Amino acid sequence: MTLVSGWGRFPVVDSEVLRPRSFEAVGAAVADVSGSVARGNGRAYGDAAIGAVRTIAMTGFDRVRSFDPATGRIRLEAGVLLSDLIDTFGPRGFLPFVVPGTRFVSVGGAIAADVHGKNHHGEGGFGRYVDSILLRTGQGETIEVSREQNSDAFFATVGGMGLTGIILEATMRLRPVETGWIRERVISASDLDAAMRALEASDSATYSVAWIDCVARGRDLGRSLIYLGEHASADELAEGADRFPIGKNPGLAVPLDLPSMTLNRYTIRAFNELYYRMGARRAGGDHVVSLYPYFFPLDSLSDWNRIYGRRGFLQHQCVIPEQGARAVLGDILDRVSKRGDASFLAVLKKLGHGDGLLSFPLPGYTLALDFPVKGDILNFLDEIDRLVVAAGGRLYLAKDARQSRATFEAGYPALPRFKAIRKSLDPAGNIRSKLSQRLFDEV
Amino acid sequence: MTSRKTVLVLGGSSDIGRAAARAFAKAGYDVGLAGRDAAALEPDAVDLHARYNVEASTWTFDVLDTASFDGFVAGLPVLPDVVVSIIGLLGVQQNAESDLAHATTIMRSNYEGPSLILGLFAEKFLARGHGTIVGVSSVAGDRGRASNYVYGSAKAGFSAFLSGLRARASRGGVHVVTVKPGFVRTKMTEGMKLIGPLTVDAPVVSDAILNAVEKKTDVVYVSGKWRLVMLIIKTLPEAVFKKLKF
Ligand SMILES: Cc1cc2nc3c(=O)[nH]c(=O)nc-3n(C[C@H](O)[C@H](O)[C@H](O)COP(=O)(O)OP(=O)(O)OC[C@H]3O[C@@H](n4cnc5c(N)ncnc54)[C@H](O)[C@@H]3O)c2cc1C
């Protein structure tokens, strides 16, 4: 057994980690024990990518099977990282349609969580650009699933957190781009109302996201910087600029777990003040930035999760339906700012419809907050969850490590349907993760 | 046909071999992948073509079957510009201490086979007047250690072969590179205790290989830290060294 955890380093649990080298070996690994789940690059925060008994590491499967440079259609193994796709196909004029806030996620993980990017409000999630999936079920079959073929299994697999089986390969579409640069516009918003208005007014922007200073209080509550983005065309680049910028691998690493002292209300407040002022100064006109800092601002510091110290941290990401979102978000932010120990920065963004049965997005606003694991944080988050549930919202499974069954069931009405499909694909229940055990497996 | 450069990777199914093939393909080389099971290399050849739009082919090559070497080289449709040997077998030192067959396999896989095949290519390259030969050896060859001297001594032999070959071949326009990776996270080292700061991933090794080929470097320690570590280890007096446990 090995101690395993997600990106948040909480919880840390026992699971046997296997690294199969062939699809046959994947099948064997799933067949001979009850309680396995696939793991991509381990960027889910909580316990989603940890098998109840056995965890099947997939990053070794990183081959491209075919690529059509005329259409951008690509078939690949599930362990290919988006960073690899961007570095390889970006210079050839293609990027993934959807990228999350880190590029170090695998294609399998991106499908399983149906990840959303800064374009979800207009262009939907990762799964929308996936045409078909080669799935190894718990029952031992290898099947191709798509919108036309085994469509139940397809919509259960997109956003299904690995619980329909192991994704071996996928066919998807890439976005044709002229350059690897983004034309960015920064808007500063002095409070939550202004931030929500700005996001609302930016519905036609391809990319939009707000970084909220969540220690600001009173009149400043919800003050934020909104980052809009469009793909830059070749003639928008500066003279002599490369069409495709180089994505440097993170050079800096956090060498050790910082003592939890480092993050306190004073350091966070000082950081946020600085961040807000620097951003506000850039507000206004358009400028062209490399896709790397635009999409992946945190990737330049590797192992940054260690900043939160040995005990790890929790991310709380909820989505609240548009109706009534203002009041609930205000209430949450108010409680968070009063505590004063939350994240450096919170992320606020508008989402559209999700595609998969358990896909997180629904039309409304999503707020993501980080908290170090300490004190009464679990109770505090339960309190926040009650507000989310009352507003008809839900929590993101890829970030979750602690929500209750009741919170989960209230937020995901398609759960019974998902369970029925899962049962038909895996009657013996071979595929199980720590997350599914916690939230919905029959005990 | 294309006028692109070609590289032949011997040991193409290893993690470093796959990474090296990608590094060269990315730099625009057509790639030949050689290994014991050519069919098993096919998906990697497909991957190289899909990613980098280069030609990629697969070849059957067994480093222990030295009798087949002449035929293998003669059977290649083009003599590559660069040949890289990533073949190696760590084996199990404890077993090799009493099991002669196992010790022989380690010695032959790390010294005899790689040296003979690269020597053959060197002759062809010299006759043509250009070419680059890359041998992936090991820091383990810099000094025999109690814990892995069967492997280490074979790598030492290989390193010595490469340095002699370099001295001779450089006069004929042929360049020889010796690569000494330290700890690399691969299938070979899976489950071993590796020292974090001294350990690298396969793409770091392959980038170092490509870089050495293009810059005509002679000996590459993949991580600069190893040069220092090995300098210290090499200069320890034997009386001290034999008391150390490692
Ligand atoms: C800094 C940071 C920023 C992030 N920003 C965003 C964001 O903006 N939007 C967003 O949506 N998410 C975001 N995430 C979350 C991340 O995108 C998801 O957790 C994603 O699933 C991680 O992919 P992974 O390959 O690391 O998968 P893992 O974390 O290893 O696994 C995640 C889930 O996918 C399943 N899975 C993985 N591979 C397979 C496979 N081959 N077959 C079947 N199931 C599989 C696992 O079982 C698990 O349920 C962020 C995470 C970090 C660390």
Side-chain angles (χ1 to χ4, degrees), chain A residues 21 62-64 84 92, chain B residues 18 22 44 47 51 187:
Chain A
R21 296 278 170 180
D62 67 348
R63 296 183 186 89
V64 178
D84 184 9
R92 296 180 72 179
Chain B
R18 291 182 59 204
R22 283 193 185 165
D44 289 307
D47 172 78
R51 283 172 181 261
K187 278 181 272 201

Side-chain angles (χ1 to χ4, degrees), chain A residues 186-324:
Chain A
V186 185
I187 301 171
S188 81
S190 55
D191 60 18
L192 182 60
D193 283 317
M196 292 177 73
R197 268 200 314 269
L199 284 176
E200 192 68 48
S202 313
D203 240 14
S204 61
T206 305
Y207 300 105
S208 69
V209 66
W211 293 87
I212 295 195
D213 170 358
C214 56
V215 287
R217 304 161 67 160
R219 265 193 323 144
D220 291 339
L221 188 77
R223 75 170 176 181
S224 41
L225 297 167
I226 291 120
Y227 292 86
L228 308 182
E230 302 295 336
H231 287 280
S233 61
D235 54 22
E236 288 173 289
L237 298 189
E239 195 83 31
D242 281 334
R243 270 209 184 194
F244 208 84
I246 304 221
K248 289 194 202 68
N249 273 328
L252 281 170
V254 178
L256 74 181
D257 302 329
L258 296 183
S260 46
M261 273 290 294
T262 325
L263 277 191
N264 56 47
R265 62 175 72 218
Y266 306 104
T267 53
I268 292 175
R269 184 156 294 159
F271 174 86
N272 283 15
E273 190 66 41
L274 188 71
Y275 187 89
Y276 181 76
R277 290 201 186 169
M278 281 174 42
R281 248 193 286 155
R282 284 203 306 167
D286 289 8
H287 43 258
V288 172
V289 298
S290 154
L291 73 92
Y292 294 97
Y294 183 77
F295 289 119
F296 316 116
L298 293 167
D299 281 353
S300 54
L301 187 64
S302 68
D303 301 336
W304 62 262
N305 49 348
R306 302 179 76 163
I307 289 176
Y308 286 89
R310 195 184 301 278
R311 280 196 285 177
F313 67 115
L314 295 160
Q315 180 158 106
H316 188 275
Q317 180 167 9
C318 64
V319 56
I320 311 282
E322 191 141 10
Q323 280 290 322

